[in-house]
């Protein structure tokens, strides 16, 4: 019975002498591997070289500041509600007198934590935020760490630095200690 | 002028050869990984030191610091003895290989060869076939069925292929009429005469020998004794730490020795083309003494021999990362029904050619 006419009839031919001798096939194989020996290598030597990211890549979060360097987040909790992975927790607090230069709104996030092990990098928090405070950066990733605790990113690692610093080297978010060490090395 | 006793000189050569085979085996592990990587469009280990050249050191540290594990019910003494035997036999065979012609300084004339015996070829064969005992003992002492299967495979494979190997060798011995490796090398290039390397006289014999060499060293496509897909790890399944390291290491030493033997038997050993012309030219046009010109030729020849050896080692690795493993019945069929008859035919042809004075 023929279901489609794509079926291919295979003839079982007896092997020729060259095929049975096996040596020509070996030389064919050897020439193929030798060709690959001189080919361009596919390896990307990671820490020194990085793969180019797509411009819409959703990577590590950042909490943005406004033009005057004030934190934009008002701890409304919309991002936490939107988050399908329940990765975001925060504690809200009221801005004191004299802190106007630090926080834009009267209510701000005293603590703001994202668990990068829970996060699925869907970007819904970014879409939910009314203050354009949280963004997923297109060029940074959460690097591997040894301890689970280290994947809970607090404000120390999320808030955009006032001035760009060594954190952004190689596109990796460093821990504060690592950043400190790097800064003192660079200085 | 000081006289150096022959024994002293020989022990120096043996020591150097010993160190060299260990060094070469060490860097074979590195070369294997880099070549494998290059053949697969990768770059291989490049983190330890410049170009990853310290990788063998890192591997050695890893091997030495791993846990020593003895499986329950294993025969402890034999379990330790197995890898030692494999390593010892692998290292022993290089003693008779002529790594160079003679050097002379003063009245001393030395051969760059550990021991010159007139049964060099027999010695190598005897020692190499002892090597399978290391595998056998290790596999049996592990008290593990996979190890035992691997060991049995190794034994039957080595016995089958030793036959064909020995027969392909007989053809070489018929031409040379001697078992001394130095004699065989020298015969491949006699001053004043035009002499070809044995590969020209023995192409079929060389192919048989090459295939058998792969089987004897348990390299792909004949690595049935340790094939991971069927036997976990074969005879070294239960081995850990440096005992495993010794097994892996002895494989590379074996490759080195077999490459050296092939270079000596079929590719002229330490001879290189136009060596006598070069010597005469140096003596007549540049006022070199005959002795110093000969010394230069010897050192160039040693370098040439090592080039040949490295080329063979590369070939071994190239094959490994190209061909898939044979099935066990295919392996046996190839050995008994193809290689041995071919070797016999080769002997007959060689005998005929000698009889009619062609070679
Ligand atoms: S990217 Fe998605 S999963 Fe991650 S924190 Fe934002 S909303 Fe949650
Ligand atoms: S990041 Fe945006 S959505 Fe989330 S709490 Fe802050 S202001 Fe609200």
């Amino acid at each position: 019975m023929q279901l489609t006419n794509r079926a291919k009839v295979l003839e079982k031919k007896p092997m020729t002498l060259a095929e049975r001798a096996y040596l020509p096939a070996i030389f064919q194989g050897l020439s193929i591997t030798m060709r690959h020996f001189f080919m361009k290598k596919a390896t990307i030597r990671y820490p020194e070289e990085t793969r180019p990211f797509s411009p819409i890549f959703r990577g590590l979060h950042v909490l943005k500041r406004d033009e005057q360097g004030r934190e934009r987040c008002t701890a409304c909790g919309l991002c936490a509600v939107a988050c399908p992975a329940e990765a975001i927790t925060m504690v809200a607090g009221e801005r004191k007198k004299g802190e106007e230069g630090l926080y834009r709104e009267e209510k701000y996030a005293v603590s703001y934590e994202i668990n990068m092990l829970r996060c699925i990098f869907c970007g819904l928090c970014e879409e939910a935020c009314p203050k354009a405070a949280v963004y997923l950066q297109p060029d940074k990733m959460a690097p591997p760490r040894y301890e689970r605790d280290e994947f809970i990113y607090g404000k120390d690692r999320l808030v955009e630095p006032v001035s760009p610093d060594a954190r952004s080297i190689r596109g990796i978010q460093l821990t504060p200690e690592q950043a400190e060490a790097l800064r003192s090395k660079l200085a | 002028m000081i006289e150096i006793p022959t024994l002293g000189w020989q022990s120096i050569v043996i020591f150097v050869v010993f160190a060299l085979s260990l060094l070469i085996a060490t860097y074979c592990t590195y070369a294997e990984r880099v070549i494998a990587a290059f053949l697969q469009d990768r770059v291989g280990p490049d983190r330890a030191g410049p170009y990853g050249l310290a990788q063998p050191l890192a591997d050695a540290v890893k091997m030495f610091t791993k846990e020593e594990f003895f499986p329950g019910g294993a025969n402890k003494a034999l379990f330790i003895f197995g890898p030692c035997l494999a390593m010892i036999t692998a290292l022993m065979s290089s003693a008779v290989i002529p790594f160079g012609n003679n050097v002379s300084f003063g009245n001393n004339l030395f051969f760059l060869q550990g021991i010159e015996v007139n049964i060099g070829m027999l010695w190598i064969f005897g020692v190499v076939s002892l090597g399978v005992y290391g595998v056998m003992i290790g596999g049996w002492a592990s008290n593990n069925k996979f190890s035992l299967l691997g060991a049995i495979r190794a034994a039957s494979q080595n016995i089958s292929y030793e036959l064909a190997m020995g027969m392909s060798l007989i053809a070489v011995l018929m031409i040379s009429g001697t078992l001394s490796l130095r004699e065989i090398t020298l015969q491949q290039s006699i001053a004043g005469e035009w002499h070809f390397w044995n590969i020209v006289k023995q192409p079929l014999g060389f192919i048989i020998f090459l295939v058998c060499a792969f089987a004897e060293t348990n390299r792909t496509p004949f690595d049935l004794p340790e094939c991971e897909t069927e036997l976990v790890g074969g005879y070294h399944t239960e081995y850990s730490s440096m005992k495993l390291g010794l097994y892996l290491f002895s494989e590379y030493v074996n490759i080195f020795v077999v490459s050296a033997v092939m270079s000596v038997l079929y590719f002229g050993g330490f001879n290189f083309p136009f060596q006598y012309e070069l010597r005469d030219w140096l003596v007549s046009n540049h006022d070199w003494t005959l002795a110093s010109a000969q010394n230069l030729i010897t050192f160039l020849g040693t370098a040439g021999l090592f080039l040949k050896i490295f080329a063979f080692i590369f070939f071994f690795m190239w094959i490994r990362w190209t061909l898939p493993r044979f099935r066990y019945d295919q392996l046996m069929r190839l050995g008994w029904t193809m290689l041995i008859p071919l070797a016999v035919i080769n002997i007959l042809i060689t005998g005929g050619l000698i009889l009619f004075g062609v070679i």
Side-chain angles (χ1 to χ4, degrees):
Chain A
M1 189 180 66
Q2 198 174 358
L3 292 176
T4 65
N5 44 19
R6 283 195 306 247
K8 218 175 170 182
V9 184
L10 278 184
E11 270 175 75
K12 198 167 178 196
K13 280 186 276 195
M15 283 202 283
T16 60
L17 183 69
E19 278 166 343
R20 265 182 296 144
Y22 195 45
L23 282 179
I26 290 182
F27 287 121
Q28 204 183 355
L30 286 177
S31 70
I32 289 175
T33 40
M34 195 28 75
R35 232 181 5 255
H36 279 269
F37 193 90
F38 295 107
M39 272 188 192
K40 201 176 164 297
K41 304 300 168 213
T43 305
I44 293 177
R45 290 175 166 83
Y46 168 56
E48 293 93 47
E49 290 168 40
T50 43
R51 205 181 275 276
F53 285 106
S54 147
I56 53 162
F57 180 77
R58 297 191 296 264
L60 198 68
H61 306 67
V62 65
L63 281 176
K64 300 293 267 185
R65 294 174 187 276
D66 68 0
E67 309 74 51
Q68 287 135 49
R70 301 174 298 188
E71 287 178 21
R72 304 181 78 115
C73 175
T74 182
C76 64
L78 285 179
C79 52
V81 172
C83 178
E86 304 192 346
I88 307 179
T89 51
M90 73 194 70
V91 176
E94 201 179 335
R95 184 179 70 187
K96 307 256 166 36
K97 244 197 158 41
E99 288 179 339
E100 288 85 357
L102 294 178
Y103 312 109
R104 195 171 68 169
E105 315 289 338
E106 280 160 22
K107 184 175 159 230
Y108 74 100
V110 179
S111 85
Y112 186 101
E113 288 179 348
I114 301 182
N115 187 336
M116 294 300 169
L117 288 180
R118 301 196 63 145
C119 173
I120 57 172
F121 299 96
C122 59
L124 289 184
C125 49
E126 177 182 312
E127 269 174 46
C129 182
K131 299 286 178 190
V134 66
Y135 280 97
L136 275 67
Q137 300 162 94
D139 57 346
K140 295 194 177 74
M141 295 188 283
R145 307 229 183 267
Y146 288 112
E147 303 295 333
R148 286 175 184 232
D149 300 351
E150 297 174 31
F151 283 98
I152 300 177
Y153 279 55
K155 274 181 80 174
D156 52 340
R157 285 189 278 171
L158 285 174
V159 179
E160 188 181 31
V162 184
S163 58
D165 64 359
R167 277 200 206 192
S168 42
I169 274 189
R170 288 186 195 160
I172 305 172
Q173 192 81 18
L174 304 172
T175 59
E177 301 84 63
Q178 285 172 325
E180 194 51 53
L182 198 63
R183 232 177 269 131
S184 56
K185 210 170 92 183
L186 291 177
Chain B
M1 196 69 205
I2 40 157
E3 292 279 339
I4 304 174
T6 321
L7 204 59
W9 174 251
Q10 280 183 342
S11 38
I12 292 175
V13 171
I14 293 239
F15 186 76
V16 170
V17 168
F18 175 74
L20 260 183
S21 22
L22 284 185
L23 185 77
I24 289 175
T26 314
Y27 272 89
C28 272
T29 61
Y30 169 75
E32 173 106 76
R33 295 164 72 173
V34 170
I35 288 170
F38 268 68
L39 293 178
Q40 297 167 354
D41 295 341
R42 300 182 283 117
V43 294
D46 69 340
R47 292 289 124 162
Y51 301 106
L53 278 173
Q55 188 66 38
L57 289 181
D59 286 343
V61 169
K62 187 199 85 168
M63 281 289 186
F64 273 113
T65 50
K66 285 242 165 154
E67 183 192 350
E68 289 266 338
F69 176 75
F70 288 95
N75 185 327
K76 255 196 186 176
L78 288 185
F79 191 70
I80 298 175
F81 186 54
C84 299
L85 190 65
M87 195 67 198
I88 291 171
T89 50
L91 284 171
M92 257 160 56
S93 35
S94 55
V96 294
I97 291 172
F99 284 99
N101 208 344
N102 44 10
V103 244
S104 55
F105 45 99
N107 309 329
N108 302 312
L109 183 71
F110 299 118
F111 301 116
L112 289 182
Q113 181 180 14
I115 318 158
E116 159 63 9
V117 277
N118 56 5
I119 51 155
M121 211 47 246
L122 272 188
W123 164 264
I124 287 191
F125 265 72
V127 170
V128 164
S129 46
L130 274 182
V132 74
Y133 280 98
V135 172
M136 280 277 281
I137 290 175
W140 183 79
S142 308
N143 190 28
N144 174 324
K145 47 177 170 287
F146 291 117
S147 303
L148 188 58
L149 278 175
I152 291 172
R153 279 184 175 191
S156 52
Q157 173 180 328
N158 277 34
I159 290 168
S160 319
Y161 278 80
E162 232 156 58
L163 277 177
M165 197 179 204
M167 286 203 201
S168 67
L169 202 74
I170 286 178
V172 176
L173 300 184
M174 280 162 67
I175 296 175
S176 65
T178 171
L179 280 165
S180 151
L181 288 172
R182 183 177 157 76
E183 281 292 306
I184 292 176
T185 313
L186 288 178
Q187 279 178 9
Q188 294 180 54
S189 175
I190 297 174
E193 285 179 46
W194 184 250
H195 265 258
F196 289 112
W197 293 346
N198 275 344
I199 174 73
V200 182
K201 301 174 187 166
Q202 284 291 322
L204 181 59
F206 171 68
I207 291 177
I208 299 171
F209 193 93
L210 186 70
V211 175
C212 295
F214 275 93
E216 289 288 300
T217 48
N218 296 337
R219 293 285 295 185
T220 334
F222 302 109
D223 62 342
L224 274 297
E226 47 185 296
C227 72
E228 310 85 1
T229 38
E230 298 163 34
L231 295 182
V232 192
Y235 59 89
H236 54 55
T237 305
E238 295 286 358
Y239 279 92
S240 58
S241 176
M242 204 54 208
K243 294 203 287 310
L244 173 67
L246 282 184
Y247 268 133
L248 303 182
F249 224 67
S250 66
E251 181 183 321
Y252 287 109
V253 179
N254 275 332
I255 291 175
F256 168 63
V257 171
V258 148
S259 303
V261 170
M262 283 195 288
S263 318
V264 168
L265 288 183
Y266 292 99
F267 283 85
F270 51 69
N271 294 309
F272 57 93
F274 306 115
Q275 46 183 350
Y276 297 115
E277 284 82 348
L278 176 64
R279 187 184 65 188
D280 296 341
W281 181 74
L282 283 175
V283 172
S284 55
N285 293 15
H286 290 262
D287 299 334
W288 286 47
T289 60
L290 192 61
S292 55
Q294 178 60 36
N295 285 354
L296 180 76
I297 296 291
T298 301
F299 284 118
L300 285 181
T302 307
L305 176 62
F306 274 96
L307 263 184
K308 290 170 196 170
I309 292 175
F310 292 150
F312 272 117
I313 292 178
F314 177 79
F315 185 69
F316 268 81
M317 294 175 179
W318 184 13
I319 285 278
R320 168 160 182 188
W321 298 104
T322 302
L323 295 183
R325 184 182 294 131
F326 279 109
R327 225 168 46 212
Y328 200 67
D329 60 316
Q330 293 172 333
L331 172 95
M332 281 299 161
R333 189 169 326 124
L334 178 67
W336 287 99
T337 69
M338 304 273 299
L339 291 183
I340 292 180
L342 270 181
V344 173
I345 292 172
N346 188 40
I347 291 178
L348 291 179
I349 294 176
T350 312
L353 291 180
I354 292 175
L355 188 66
F356 296 113
V358 184
I359 46 177

